[in-house]
Amino acid sequence: MKTRNMKKYIIASLLAGVALMGFTSCEDDRDSNPTLTVPDSFVLNTPALAGNVYDLANCEGIELSCKQPEFGYTAAVSYYPQLSLTDEWENVLDENGEIVGNPKFVQLESYSTKAKFDVVAKDFNKAIMKIGGYTAEEQIPDNLDVYVRLNGVLSSKQNTYSNSITMKVKPFFQALVAADTELWYLIGGCVGDGAWGSEIGVSVYPMSPVEGGKFDEATGKGPLTFTGYFTPTLGFKIVRVPGEWADQWGAVDGDINQPRLKDDSGEGSDFKVPSAGYYRIDLDCYTNTLTFTALDKEPAEYSQMMIAGDFTNWWDGAVSMSPVDTYEGARPHVWMYDMSISENTGMKFLVDSSWNPNWGGEKFPFGWGVGGGANIPVEAGDYRIIFNDITGYYHFYNK
């Protein structure tokens, strides 16, 4: 009997000891847990090249480095650069929280989780455009003092700011809103009705921007392309503005391998292909280069092209497009349709009720249709639609 009581006492003592150890361990854990403290500031180092002028148009990046903020433990920090022209770090806001006038400072969207990193010079320059409110190249100063600081942000959203440093930069003009893509148009005896007129979809049609091509933000200039059928007996030219001839491409003696851009000394003659067939024309209106490439394989040819969408109850009321090329000997690949819709709609291009093939795309007002692609999201309005069934390029022109 005494033995059983002794065993109970020993077991109870052991359990009490374990419990005490548990309480002690929890207390120790609380003592060792890091406590978050948000420092008033942290150190942004002055770059070694800060005494020089950073030419933002001709450098890829600006190196910044800092000391880790003292948050009470080694924390993962995201560093966002902020720029100011006056060392002021508070924007004036209206009642809706929108910035009034030009911002006093701008925080870049790009960030780094490393304490030493490069800021893309183009992003740096764009922030300067916003703060300065520059809208034209002649407004850009030769050199400028820029104040830079870092916003150190934790994943829990607590943040702190570094000291600001001064850097000298040479900015360049950079459009904040990219210019519309500059288009060029084909016109001539083997384009549209062959009448050399100026109406889009009748006597002229556009080249297509190259999908994924690089276009200058300030001018909209970049790579364009067109693929179609041409005959050797009928000439054509490429113009920037239909009905105007100041900006035009022609050829030396009609040779497609000797393109000539009109200048003060004159203009080229009409382009004439050496033999009937399909050609791809590539024009880069930024570098002013133009090339022709003959295709080895003829694309599919369709006797009709149609449009179906929400506004037609899809196939039930599908509408026919008109071939733009109606000159003698033409092959139909560029199509036109005038459309008026009072509500936003989705639509596609198709040949017939089999829906094979059909073209759809995700962009508006112009884009590149692909076989079985998404419905094109068309906004309510009045349009003249141009569609090239070889390249899939479509364009909705406001009427």
Side-chain angles (χ1 to χ4, degrees):
M1 190 70 178
K2 291 182 179 179
T3 304
R4 285 199 297 270
N5 288 337
M6 181 62 70
K7 287 181 178 179
K8 290 181 180 179
Y9 174 78
I10 294 172
I11 292 172
S13 299
L14 288 173
L15 290 174
V18 171
L20 181 59
M21 289 175 61
F23 288 131
T24 304
S25 297
C26 291
E27 188 66 35
D28 289 344
D29 286 344
R30 285 194 295 269
D31 291 341
S32 62
N33 281 341
T35 301
L36 173 65
T37 58
V38 179
D40 293 333
S41 185
F42 65 100
V43 176
L44 171 61
N45 300 315
T46 300
L49 299 178
N52 300 325
V53 177
Y54 289 88
D55 186 351
L56 299 180
N58 295 301
C59 69
E60 293 185 359
I62 298 173
E63 184 180 278
L64 296 178
S65 66
C66 66
K67 294 182 180 179
Q68 172 88 15
E70 296 291 341
F71 284 109
Y73 61 96
T74 303
V77 183
S78 297
Y79 299 103
Y80 290 85
Q82 296 183 339
L83 278 69
S84 172
L85 300 183
T86 58
D87 205 16
E88 296 178 79
W89 304 102
E90 185 174 352
N91 289 318
V92 179
L93 306 178
D94 63 17
E95 59 184 9
N96 297 317
E98 299 293 331
I99 296 175
V100 177
N102 296 333
K104 301 293 185 182
F105 79 97
V106 167
Q107 176 170 292
L108 303 189
E109 294 181 2
S110 58
Y111 67 92
S112 176
T113 55
K114 297 180 179 179
K116 185 177 182 180
F117 60 97
D118 285 343
V119 179
V120 177
K122 187 176 181 180
D123 295 342
F124 203 94
N125 188 79
K126 184 171 286 189
I128 294 173
M129 297 297 106
K130 292 179 180 178
I131 301 169
Y134 302 121
T135 58
E137 190 166 358
E138 57 269 18
Q139 298 174 345
I140 306 300
D142 290 335
N143 293 318
L144 197 62
D145 285 338
V146 178
Y147 298 90
V148 182
R149 74 175 186 178
L150 297 180
N151 181 14
V153 184
L154 296 176
S155 59
S156 55
K157 303 306 180 183
Q158 286 95 340
N159 72 306
T160 185
Y161 300 100
S162 74
N163 58 294
S164 64
I165 60 173
T166 307
M167 305 174 67
K168 291 186 178 295
V169 300
K170 178 179 174 60
F172 63 94
F173 179 66
Q174 187 176 7
L176 295 179
V177 178
D180 291 338
T181 301
E182 180 176 295
L183 296 179
W184 286 63
Y185 295 81
L186 276 70
I187 182 171
C190 57
V191 177
D193 61 4
W196 293 84
S198 61
E199 186 175 352
I200 297 172
V202 176
S203 298
V204 297
Y205 40 64
M207 301 185 73
S208 159
V210 172
E211 187 173 11
K214 182 179 180 180
F215 292 84
D216 183 72
E217 291 184 347
T219 65
K221 295 178 180 291
L224 308 174
T225 189
F226 176 84
T227 299
Y229 180 79
F230 298 92
T231 64
T233 57
L234 300 172
F236 66 97
K237 285 190 171 184
I238 302 174
V239 298
R240 187 174 66 84
V241 180
E244 299 181 10
W245 299 95
D247 298 315
Q248 60 164 284
W249 282 90
V252 176
D253 299 327
D255 186 356
I256 62 173
N257 295 313
Q258 298 186 67
R260 177 182 176 181
L261 178 63
K262 180 180 179 180
D263 56 24
D264 293 339
S265 64
E267 63 186 64
S269 60
D270 299 346
F271 289 113
K272 288 190 175 181
V273 296
S275 59
Y278 290 90
Y279 293 80
R280 188 184 76 242
I281 306 172
D282 292 298
L283 167 63
D284 191 320
C285 51
Y286 186 80
T287 60
N288 286 332
T289 55
L290 178 67
T291 59
F292 284 75
T293 304
L295 302 189
D296 297 329
K297 184 179 179 181
E298 292 192 358
E301 187 174 319
Y302 307 105
S303 60
Q304 66 176 11
M305 189 60 58
M306 309 189 79
I307 291 175
D310 297 322
F311 73 107
T312 67
N313 196 25
W314 292 97
W315 174 251
D316 291 346
V319 294
S320 297
M321 303 186 76
S322 301
V324 178
D325 287 320
T326 57
Y327 65 88
E328 186 176 354
R331 297 190 181 182
H333 289 289
V334 181
W335 306 85
M336 184 271 289
Y337 181 74
D338 289 332
M339 181 176 75
S340 296
I341 53 173
S342 58
E343 296 180 353
N344 295 352
T345 186
M347 58 148 287
K348 285 189 172 186
F349 302 99
L350 68 159
V351 174
D352 54 38
S353 60
S354 71
W355 288 86
N356 185 23
N358 73 82
W359 295 261
E362 298 179 350
K363 295 183 180 297
F364 177 83
F366 66 84
W368 302 266
V370 296
N375 296 340
I376 300 168
V378 183
E379 298 176 1
D382 299 326
Y383 303 103
R384 170 158 290 184
I385 307 170
I386 304 296
F387 174 62
N388 184 324
D389 65 38
I390 300 176
T391 63
Y393 176 66
Y394 57 84
H395 200 124
F396 288 72
Y397 286 91
N398 285 309
K399 292 183 65 178

